[in-house]
Amino acid sequence: VAAYLQRKPNLDSLEVTNSPNITSLPPLPETITFIGLKDCPQLSTFSLPGSVKHLRLKDCPALVALPPLPDALGALVIEDCPALLSLPQLPCTLIDLWLDNCPGLTKMPELPSSLVQLYIKKCSGISLLPDALGPLIMLFVEDNPDAAPESRSEFFDHSSI
């Protein structure tokens, strides 16, 4: 992968799928704006270039923590990462945050005021949402048995207030 990336300095998207032996990623070009990592059971560490605007992680069971998130990030989607224990500080540009089946997460970081959509499903370790939810247009919380009743909302349209 590293040799290929060196020959593609203008690459803007990277999707790694069904890679059972990959444990980390090589340094990535600053031109990449989308990274998708799916079915990478041994992936435990990686770094992100500052240009990434969309990060999607799915079925990465060995991933315990995320690297620092780039300031340009607008969308973060994490699905089926049961060992993930925490999220780093979220950038002030983040618009969409989707968490699905991440039972190891126990605490939400402070949410940026730019956040418009928050989706949390099957993250049983998260019991409370942050007090400040900002200008959310969509809040979806499902299958979180320990969530406080006040945080069990489905669709919240803030724009109608």
Side-chain angles (χ1 to χ4, degrees), residues 36-159:
L37 305 171
K38 180 179 176 186
D39 297 322
C40 300
Q42 300 302 316
L43 181 69
S44 60
T45 185
F46 61 96
S47 61
L48 296 169
S51 56
V52 173
K53 294 180 180 178
H54 187 123
L55 176 62
R56 181 180 177 125
L57 305 168
K58 181 168 176 54
D59 295 321
C60 299
L63 193 61
V64 175
L66 296 181
L69 299 174
D71 290 338
L73 194 69
L76 177 59
V77 177
I78 306 171
E79 300 175 272
D80 303 315
C81 295
L84 187 64
L85 299 175
S86 64
L87 296 175
Q89 179 179 346
L90 300 174
C92 63
T93 55
L94 193 68
I95 295 170
D96 297 318
L97 176 59
W98 293 69
L99 304 169
D100 188 352
N101 198 24
C102 300
L105 282 176
T106 58
K107 184 179 174 190
M108 291 290 295
E110 183 178 335
L111 299 176
S113 61
S114 59
L115 198 66
V116 173
Q117 294 187 54
L118 177 59
Y119 178 95
I120 303 172
K121 182 178 179 182
K122 296 181 185 175
C123 297
S124 57
I126 297 175
S127 59
L128 291 173
L129 295 176
D131 291 335
L133 292 178
L136 286 179
I137 291 173
M138 198 275 291
L139 171 62
F140 184 85
V141 180
E142 181 182 1
D143 293 337
N144 284 24
D146 295 329
E150 61 271 15
S151 71
R152 286 189 190 193
S153 301
E154 290 210 4
F155 291 96
F156 174 71
D157 184 356
H158 187 275
S159 63

